[in-house]
Amino acid sequence: MKKTSLRNRLIGVFILTSMLPIVILGVYSYISISRTLSNNTQMMSKSSLRQLDNNLKISLEAYEDVLYQMYTDDDMVKWVSDIDGGINDAVAVNQMRRFMSSLLYTKDYIRAVSVITPGGELVTYEQMTPATYKSSWLENFGMTGEELYRDVSADNGVHIYPTRFGTNFAKKDYYLFHMAHRIIDYKSLTKDCGIVVISVDEDFLKEICAGSTDDDRIFNFIVDGEGKVVTFGKETEVIGCKITNMDSEEETRLADYGRFLRLYFPQLSRDGAIYLFRDEDLGWDIVNVTSLVELTRLQRRQLHLIAVIGILVMVVVVLLSTGLSADLVRSVGYLTGRMKKARNGDLSVRADKDRRMPQEIEAIADGFNDMMEKLNVAIRSRQEAQIAALEAQINPHFLYNTLDTINWMAIDKDEYDISNAISALANILRYSIVNSNGEVTVKDELEWLRKYIYLQQYRVKNSFDYGAFAEPEAQTAIVHKSLLQPLVENSIKHGFTAEQEDARLVVTAICEKDALKITIEDNGKGMDSEIMDKINSGAFEELKASSGIGIKNVATRLAMYYGKEGKMRVKPGEEKGTCIVIEIPLKKKTD
């Protein structure tokens, strides 16, 4: 894998740390603004629908007033009675039609006014046909005159019949919705006096839908209680198309309207969001389609703005990071060049400092120079030590052979104690010199320690007893050579007194979980508590050389061999004297 330069890494880090907040902020801003725009669009659309519904009701009430003037007029009751009774029926029809014509032009979108008498006679006045004796729309209404009569005369309410095709007149198709009411004789409220019907042009509904807003991005249409379209802008061919079931939930009806728009008006569906308002009195859905083109454009503009800002920031960051990192990269390159010279053997090389060098690189340069000075001193010391070692070198075999000769001389003189001591000393020397820092089993270490104790007992005339115990599992555990000897020597030298007759030294080794625990305990005079505290806290520099050198030696080797896992603590013995506990990681012999 190809490594990148320090400068490229720094520039990459600078770009990442500067761009990441911008990207996060940009994404959050984009989502937040998009959500706000969408919510505002929905709120405005809902408000527009409520206003449209309010305008529709007010306008319909005006047409209901015209209807009211007809079905409550006493003359209308008389004319209907005369027509059905055959009393001056021609005069009655003529008078009724003049009354209808006076009301027809009170509202712009009334296209016909019709009356059906109880006897089935039809009197009409309308703009869509020159005929005066028949209705131009009734045959396309979907109900016969008798069915219409029965439906309207069944109660005293206003009946509104949704938009349907009415007629064609003067090469123009007329789509009409109708408002009807039974004629009321207030002298006899239950009397059957006929019905009156006002036919209103669908352009009235179209104007209501278009007049609620002057924004060409908003389109409204109306669906009646049967789920059929009653007005759809200029698209009159879809009037009467059934879109949905009005008994369904609002979400279902919205989905139906969406499918309808995708099928017949895909552009409108693709660019718009659909909202609806239900008029409970009419049972109609007023549907709003709001174009999201402008919303999408604003969102794209925001994305472009974020991208431009990101690019500008990236350019600025690259320029700044290049300038700021120039001195650092130059200094690091210079320092690595010095180090390469030192690696190639030029130990006289040093790193010079200048004012452009960053403070941290100056510290590294100082450390490098100091290291080179110490390295030169160490090399000179090593060379001197090697010369001294060569001058003082003695072949270990010479020592073993000499001790063996002395041993046989002692045997010839029957000095067996001296022979045993010489043999023990030879074994101790051989054990110590060969691979002095190597690892051995606890069993081997205790065996070597036994020979060392033998010499110590021989030296002090067997003035103390020695015991060693290692449980079977601990005997195969691994320790470093001569780790325990300084502690044993310390107990013999400083723990026991000349007059003590029951002096005893015990070494035990046991396994506890993943640790090997070794205890050296004596019953000597014991150790001062202040000294124990200093040892346990690691303050070896505060100890006297005579009392702490052995323990410091062991603590140093524990740290070198085992790190923080090598532990040593000192505590009073169970009876008296001193107990030293060593814990090291448990490692078993594998062969």
Side-chain angles (χ1 to χ4, degrees), residues 62-76 79 94-115 124-127 179 183 196-200:
Y63 285 86
E64 288 181 9
D65 287 342
V66 175
L67 188 65
Y68 177 79
Q69 294 179 48
M70 294 186 65
Y71 71 74
T72 58
D73 188 270
D74 291 337
D75 291 334
M76 184 66 70
W79 293 331
N94 187 47
Q95 291 175 334
M96 183 182 293
R97 293 188 76 252
R98 281 202 302 269
F99 179 60
M100 289 178 178
S101 67
S102 66
L103 294 176
L104 181 69
Y105 295 102
T106 59
K107 297 295 179 185
D108 292 336
Y109 294 102
I110 298 178
R111 297 290 178 255
V113 180
S114 305
V115 172
T124 181
Y125 188 91
E126 56 185 78
Q127 298 176 342
M179 304 175 66
I183 299 172
V196 59
V197 181
I198 294 178
S199 300
V200 184

Side-chain angles (χ1 to χ4, degrees), residues 135-151 161-167 176 178 226 228:
S135 172
S136 62
W137 57 266
L138 187 58
E139 61 183 13
N140 297 317
F141 181 66
M143 298 174 66
T144 65
E146 292 79 6
E147 291 172 339
L148 175 62
Y149 188 90
R150 286 195 300 271
D151 188 52
Y161 296 94
T163 304
R164 298 293 184 270
F165 173 75
T167 186
L176 308 172
H178 310 276
E226 297 179 1
K228 297 179 180 180

Side-chain angles (χ1 to χ4, degrees), residues 15 89 112 179 286 319 322 353 356 396 400 410 502 531 576:
I15 291 175
D89 52 341
M179 304 175 66
I286 304 174
L319 294 176
T322 302
K353 296 182 292 184
R356 295 174 60 189
Y400 302 150
D502 61 343
I531 296 177
K576 58 180 180 176

Side-chain angles (χ1 to χ4, degrees), residues 323-374:
L324 292 174
S325 64
D327 290 340
L328 175 61
V329 172
R330 180 189 60 81
S331 300
V332 170
Y334 167 75
L335 195 57
T336 53
R338 302 278 91 185
M339 291 180 178
K340 286 180 180 179
K341 285 188 175 182
R343 185 181 64 184
N344 293 331
D346 185 2
L347 301 183
S348 64
V349 67
R350 298 292 184 272
D352 298 326
K353 296 182 292 184
D354 58 46
R355 63 181 185 83
R356 295 174 60 189
M357 184 177 287
Q359 184 177 359
E360 293 78 6
I361 304 301
E362 284 188 355
I364 297 175
D366 290 336
F368 172 75
N369 292 336
D370 184 59
M371 179 189 68
M372 294 305 298
E373 291 290 343
K374 291 180 178 179

Side-chain angles (χ1 to χ4, degrees), residues 403-420 422-423:
L403 287 174
D404 188 58
T405 301
I406 296 172
N407 180 37
W408 283 109
M409 290 173 63
I411 293 174
D412 288 342
K413 300 292 185 179
D414 295 329
E415 296 291 342
Y416 295 106
D417 288 340
I418 295 175
S419 174
N420 292 336
I422 291 173
S423 296

Side-chain angles (χ1 to χ4, degrees), residues 401-463:
N401 293 334
T402 302
L403 287 174
D404 188 58
T405 301
I406 296 172
N407 180 37
W408 283 109
M409 290 173 63
I411 293 174
D412 288 342
K413 300 292 185 179
D414 295 329
E415 296 291 342
Y416 295 106
D417 288 340
I418 295 175
S419 174
N420 292 336
I422 291 173
S423 296
L425 179 59
N427 290 330
I428 289 172
L429 287 174
R430 184 180 293 107
Y431 184 86
S432 301
I433 293 174
V434 179
N435 193 15
S436 59
N437 289 324
E439 293 180 325
V440 296
T441 63
V442 171
K443 180 180 179 181
D444 292 339
E445 178 73 2
L446 293 181
E447 178 62 24
W448 176 85
L449 198 59
R450 183 186 62 78
K451 295 175 182 178
Y452 172 77
I453 295 293
Y454 169 76
L455 288 179
Q456 288 285 7
Q457 288 176 327
Y458 187 81
R459 183 178 65 83
V460 298
K461 302 294 190 288
N462 292 314
S463 62

Side-chain angles (χ1 to χ4, degrees), residues 517-519 567-571 579-583:
K517 182 177 179 182
I518 302 175
T519 304
K567 303 175 183 177
M568 181 180 69
R569 66 180 185 276
V570 183
K571 63 180 181 178
C579 178
I580 300 177
V581 181
I582 294 176
E583 290 187 19

